[in-house]
Amino acid sequence: IADALDVDIGQLVESTRSVAVAGRVGAGAAVQLVDGYEKGDGLYHVACPDDLPSRNIVAVEVEGDSGEPLINHGDVLFFTRHFVGIDENAIKRVAILETEEGRALVKKVMPGREPGTFDLVSINPTWPVEYGVRLKWAAPLRRPIAAEDVQRIEI
């Protein structure tokens, strides 16, 4: 088959799945979510961890430092996004989210005092909590990969 297609056999049996890095999320930085890529395209592609599902996986790159020392600038975060709105599994967990104002963040999502609001807690306890934030969507973090361990894939 490889000869007939005039490709290296490694291209046919390659087991590494790639995921497009769809954009950046802020961990302290003010990042606007930009979703101007065609489906399957993004900033660049990375290898998807083998234990994550093969459908609905999204990757984003961290910008900022409010997640230190657990999540750092340049790390890649994987999450599952197969719904509209706020995934109930994101509540009381670290999540990737977008605020109504369009800010893309990685924060711990806690129920807010007012209905329909949430308190956003930074992973780094020295950063202040954002109270009473309205969200467009939130999805629980599935896996962080440290910047130095990210395997970029040429497509």
Side-chain angles (χ1 to χ4, degrees):
I1 294 173
D3 290 338
L5 295 173
D6 195 28
V7 296
D8 184 276
I9 194 162
Q11 291 176 290
L12 297 177
V13 296
E14 181 64 48
S15 64
T16 302
R17 296 177 297 138
S18 73
V19 174
V21 176
R24 293 184 175 87
V25 294
V31 176
Q32 293 297 118
L33 185 66
V34 176
D35 193 8
Y37 300 105
E38 294 291 324
K39 184 174 174 94
D41 203 6
L43 299 172
Y44 53 91
H45 286 78
V46 295
C48 182
D50 291 336
D51 61 327
L52 291 179
S54 47
R55 294 181 48 93
N56 301 315
I57 291 295
V58 181
V60 289
E61 183 181 277
V62 175
E63 188 169 306
D65 60 3
S66 75
E68 291 179 351
L70 299 176
I71 296 175
N72 299 289
H73 181 80
D75 289 357
V76 172
L77 309 179
F78 294 88
F79 64 100
T80 305
R81 178 113 191 267
H82 55 86
F83 55 88
V84 175
I86 300 161
D87 184 333
E88 65 184 36
N89 294 314
I91 310 302
K92 297 183 180 178
R93 293 182 59 190
V94 175
I96 313 305
L97 58 93
E98 182 181 6
T99 67
E100 281 191 350
E101 298 82 30
R103 293 181 303 138
L105 304 168
V106 55
K107 301 285 183 184
K108 184 173 183 182
V109 178
M110 299 300 291
R113 294 182 183 128
E114 300 294 324
T117 67
F118 298 90
D119 298 339
L120 306 180
V121 180
S122 293
I123 298 161
N124 181 329
T126 64
W127 281 78
V129 175
E130 291 185 50
Y131 294 101
V133 179
R134 294 194 181 275
L135 304 179
K136 286 183 185 176
W137 61 268
L141 173 65
R142 297 292 299 270
R143 172 76 36 86
I145 302 289
E148 61 271 13
D149 296 329
V150 171
Q151 180 186 352
R152 288 189 183 219
I153 296 177
E154 295 298 320
I155 299 294

